[in-house]
Amino acid sequence: MDADEIDWNRTLREQWEFHWKHQLRARLEGLTDDEYFWSPVPDAWSVRPRGSSTAPVQLGAGDFAMDYASPQPVPSAFTTIAWRLGHVLVGVLAARNAGDFGAPAASYETWEYAGSAATALDQLETQFDIWLAGVGGLGDAGLRAPIGEKEPFPEMPMAELVLHIHRELIHHLSEVCLLRDLYLHTKPATNGATR
């Protein structure tokens, strides 16, 4: 097949959809609140009830806030599944959905972080749906158009941002899966689930 005949929009969407449907979705099913909040090391950053954090900064709106610091500590803080899902939800998806596809404005400071695993996974599904619909609506011309001033490299084509977001999703959600595996093998008596 000639490269000019490839439907690049479909190909980019399928890159993420395949990974989600065949690798990640099943791995995230049944995520418990214990896993969501579990900290395998002391002082890990997480999403916590507002006012209960010892981190220098608490980000977000609502009853739960995300631990943070600026500048970042060295070495970087270890983060829980809750924190990693919060990062994916806001920094990877929701802010881009708002900036590129007309979704409601979203930032780490204004996001209402989930107080349960089920709520976080529902938020994730919603943001995935918005992202894929937005990418699907770009068409060839939209993929070739410059990203614009809302991103650090405004002259790059939108296809570059799509690839970047997909890499971020695969990377961070694979970390979540690894933490689930660690939880399962560290706390087998409290988790009867098998994966």
Side-chain angles (χ1 to χ4, degrees):
M1 176 179 278
D2 186 309
D4 290 333
E5 297 174 16
I6 295 174
D7 180 343
W8 287 106
N9 188 284
R10 180 184 53 78
T11 301
L12 289 174
R13 281 181 288 122
E14 285 179 353
Q15 175 201 35
W16 168 246
E17 287 176 319
F18 179 87
H19 192 69
W20 175 242
K21 289 178 184 174
H22 299 287
Q23 293 173 329
L24 286 172
R25 176 179 268 150
R27 293 290 313 277
L28 295 177
E29 283 181 17
L31 180 69
T32 67
D33 289 348
D34 284 343
E35 291 172 290
Y36 180 68
F37 291 115
W38 178 61
S39 177
V41 299
D43 302 318
W45 282 359
S46 192
V47 169
R48 304 175 194 283
R50 182 163 300 286
S52 67
S53 175
T54 59
V57 177
Q58 295 180 45
L59 298 173
D63 295 335
F64 287 81
M66 178 186 242
D67 295 338
Y68 195 72
S70 183
Q72 292 280 323
V74 177
S76 297
F78 190 88
T79 57
T80 65
I81 289 174
W83 194 98
R84 290 166 199 245
L85 288 178
H87 168 64
V88 167
L89 280 162
V90 181
V92 178
L93 289 170
R96 270 36 182 268
N97 286 339
D100 295 310
F101 304 127
S107 70
Y108 288 116
E109 294 80 14
T110 62
W111 190 259
E112 290 202 24
Y113 293 96
S116 72
T119 301
L121 293 177
D122 286 347
Q123 289 177 341
L124 196 60
E125 285 274 0
T126 297
Q127 294 304 316
F128 286 155
D129 290 346
I130 295 167
W131 173 255
L132 287 173
V135 171
L138 289 172
D140 188 58
L143 288 172
R144 293 176 187 274
I147 294 170
E149 298 300 323
K150 60 193 167 288
E151 293 287 339
F153 302 100
E155 71 286 348
M156 297 191 85
M158 187 65 175
E160 292 280 344
L161 179 63
V162 173
L163 287 169
H164 171 69
I165 295 304
H166 292 178
R167 285 189 301 266
E168 285 286 292
L169 291 171
I170 291 166
H171 166 77
H172 290 299
L173 294 176
S174 295
E175 291 175 329
V176 168
C177 293
L178 180 61
L179 281 172
R180 287 197 81 189
D181 289 343
L182 184 61
Y183 179 89
L184 177 68
H185 290 280
T186 305
K187 299 185 160 284
T190 61
N191 186 355
T194 57
R195 286 190 266 298

